[in-house]
Amino acid sequence: MSWTNSRNAELKERAAKVIPGGMYGHESTALLPADFPQFFRRADGTRLWDADDNEYIDYMCAYGPNLLGYRHAAVDAAARAQMELGDTLTGPSEIMVTLAEVLVGMLGHAEWAMFCKNGTDATSMATVVARAHTGKRKILVGRGVYHGAAPWCSPGPAGILSDDRAHIAYYRDQDPQSLADAMKEHAGDVAAVFATPFRHETFRDQAQPDATFAREARRLCDAEGAMLVLDEVRTSFRLSRDHAWAALGVAPDLSSCGKVIGNGQPISALVGGEHLRKAAGSVFVTGSFWFSAVPMAAAIATLKIVRESDYLERITRTGTLLREGLARQAADHGFALRQTGPVQMPQILFEDDPEMRLGYFWTAAAVRRGIYLHPYHNMFINAALSEADVAATLEATDGAFAALKAQDLKHLPLERPAVRERLERAAALSA
Ligand SMILES: Cc1ncc(COP(=O)(O)O)c(C=O)c1O
């Protein structure tokens, strides 16, 4: 069946009338190549079908939550069984205790867990717990790093007051000297330092976890009495069965876990060490749906698979095959890719592509060939992706490279002029 997008276009038109901007957040396709679908119908394993029923091998995994494959049989059976008992009740089900025990058993630095719905809930809760514990005000955050969509951390300026960020200070992401400088500037008043396990902002090359930065962040926090918060919302269980800095020998005081915990069911968590138990118990935090039992049942089933299966080795293997295959293929077609970050969370940018014209054309060509790739956001590998799927992906991307090569590369259109401004902002942040 040939690729069409008429239903998607129809839905976008309807959405424009009843949803502000037609769509919001990163679910808006306004910055993506024009043909990218915005609406999807269904998914299974590693496959995704859009509103027009075009089938894709999906490398975005719902922007992270799909770790084991969509509609995973064991996870969905656990969720269905809990649904038969009830979901959002007058209080939590006993499985909340079980789930907290499971997470505490898996994460080396964790002695307690609190559950919520989204990553932003968990990162925001971390600021409150750290301030309650330390009695200090400042939260140090990597410049340009995404920690969610609340006023203290949202990337968009609209509707945000400078007062909302009065006590948020910034350092150059993953730069120990810049963190030391920020720490010095706010000495005596730093409640927490936020870090991500590695650099993973949009529009930029990613990095690998950096032991020097991790150790220095720990040392500076200890010297200042500040809490080190590792924001693992994007990375949870994709790099490790423990927290992502366990392999570096650096333990955070708090970490936010999100996205994958329930393999797509809405649940996130804040976990922390013994010394923060009292502060965590003292803050008032809650939400009408934070105690729903179905996502907790899904999380218990997901984490059992995380502990007992070779999912991590498999996503590392398929991620490696994809990276190596694309590098070879790009070279064969006369292009050079910058493939950065851990292979389980690939970021694929083109060399000599200052305005991402090549990347936009190539990812759009891949989408039309049934491979959902992203031009500027890190992608995600899920455990349902097989080696045969990687081979099918490479067959399609070969066609996408050939289509790109057939273009007049000097005159490729800049489909989304707003990308220029994003790239300038990304360059300024890394300067
Ligand atoms: C590192 C990081 N922190 C926090 C968040 C916010 O998570 P959520 O969108 O679930 O609120 C995200 C979301 O992408 C993230 O990547």
Side-chain angles (χ1 to χ4, degrees):
M1 217 175 70
S2 63
W3 189 89
T4 54
N5 67 357
S6 54
R7 178 82 183 132
N8 184 62
E10 220 176 89
L11 283 168
K12 279 172 101 167
E13 230 178 275
R14 280 172 55 197
K17 294 188 183 128
V18 289
I19 295 171
M23 192 50 58
Y24 41 92
H26 50 242
E27 283 72 12
S28 164
T29 51
L31 265 190
L32 287 170
D35 277 350
F36 264 51
Q38 183 161 264
F39 295 94
F40 297 90
R41 263 189 88 205
R42 63 195 172 102
D44 193 30
T46 204
R47 297 291 202 284
L48 181 65
W49 285 263
D50 69 15
D52 287 87
D53 227 15
N54 301 303
E55 178 179 334
Y56 303 98
I57 297 179
D58 175 29
Y59 286 93
M60 278 316 283
C61 294
Y63 283 79
N66 170 17
L67 176 66
L68 303 174
Y70 292 113
R71 300 180 65 236
H72 187 277
V75 176
D76 285 9
R80 268 196 306 275
Q82 183 58 47
M83 184 59 97
E84 290 299 314
L85 297 174
D87 185 15
T88 302
L89 313 176
T90 298
S93 152
E94 65 180 61
I95 62 171
M96 179 175 177
V97 183
T98 307
L99 178 58
E101 288 166 350
V102 165
L103 269 184
V104 166
M106 292 175 73
L107 299 171
H109 63 301
E111 297 295 338
W112 52 262
M114 298 167 83
F115 299 103
C116 34
K117 288 286 111 181
N118 289 290
T120 310
D121 299 333
T123 55
S124 300
M125 198 149 65
T127 66
V128 180
V129 171
R131 283 174 171 151
H133 177 70
T134 59
K136 297 173 182 175
R137 297 179 299 173
K138 303 290 175 190
I139 308 287
L140 306 192
V141 174
R143 205 171 295 118
V145 178
Y146 189 63
H147 294 296
W152 73 271
C153 58
S154 167
I160 312 276
L161 308 178
S162 57
D163 292 11
D164 291 325
R165 299 178 184 181
H167 298 293
I168 307 296
Y170 300 92
Y171 66 94
R172 188 171 179 269
D173 186 27
Q174 309 289 321
D175 181 338
Q177 186 56 51
S178 173
L179 177 58
D181 293 346
M183 212 49 140
K184 198 164 160 199
E185 188 181 340
H186 300 287
D189 201 14
V190 182
V193 169
F194 270 68
T196 53
F198 63 91
R199 205 180 65 221
H200 57 44
E201 298 106 282
T202 49
F203 291 99
R204 298 178 63 186
D205 291 331
Q206 315 287 283
Q208 295 288 341
D210 177 348
T212 307
F213 173 73
R215 286 190 200 116
E216 190 58 5
R218 181 69 274 169
R219 192 189 66 75
L220 289 165
C221 282
D222 289 344
E224 169 69 17
M227 297 301 104
L228 178 57
V229 182
L230 191 61
D231 181 0
E232 282 239 63
V233 170
R234 200 177 304 186
T235 52
S236 289
F237 303 117
R238 265 207 170 77
L239 305 188
S240 166
R241 293 178 176 87
D242 197 332
H243 69 83
W245 279 357
L248 309 180
V250 176
D253 299 293
L254 292 163
S255 70
S256 48
C257 314
K259 295 193 183 276
V260 301
I261 302 177
N263 199 49
Q265 285 280 346
I267 181 161
S268 59
L270 179 70
V271 307
E274 189 55 45
H275 54 297
L276 283 156
R277 185 187 294 274
K278 191 161 165 240
S282 74
V283 299
F284 184 79
V285 285
T286 189
S288 295
F289 300 101
W290 283 16
F291 305 91
S292 303
V294 167
M296 294 188 184
I300 290 170
T302 301
L303 296 175
K304 182 169 167 27
I305 295 164
V306 165
R307 286 194 309 283
E308 296 178 1
S309 82
D310 65 348
Y311 85 100
L312 185 56
E313 291 68 31
R314 282 189 284 120
I315 62 175
T316 307
R317 165 119 186 103
T318 45
T320 303
L321 284 176
L322 179 70
R323 182 165 292 185
E324 291 173 354
L326 285 175
R328 270 195 308 275
Q329 202 167 69
D332 288 348
H333 286 278
F335 297 104
L337 296 180
R338 295 203 311 265
Q339 301 192 76
T340 55
V343 292
Q344 309 92 304
M345 298 176 62
Q347 172 83 313
I348 305 175
L349 305 176
F350 278 69
E351 285 288 9
D352 306 321
D353 190 21
E355 292 181 327
M356 290 193 168
R357 294 173 195 241
L358 302 178
Y360 267 59
F361 185 95
W362 181 72
T363 48
V367 158
R368 278 192 293 273
R369 286 164 176 76
I371 308 299
Y372 193 97
L373 298 175
H374 203 291
Y376 58 79
H377 193 293
N378 77 265
M379 292 174 263
F380 302 87
I381 304 287
N382 67 80
L385 185 78
S386 66
E387 295 191 14
D389 292 325
V390 174
T393 300
L394 290 171
E395 204 180 312
T397 52
D398 197 42
F401 277 121
L404 177 61
K405 202 172 166 184
Q407 297 300 303
D408 174 1
L409 295 180
K410 288 211 169 62
H411 298 101
L412 276 181
L414 181 64
E415 263 184 75
R416 304 291 192 189
V419 163
R420 265 200 200 114
E421 180 240 325
R422 299 300 175 108
L423 287 164
E424 277 163 19
R425 202 192 305 165
L429 290 170
S430 54

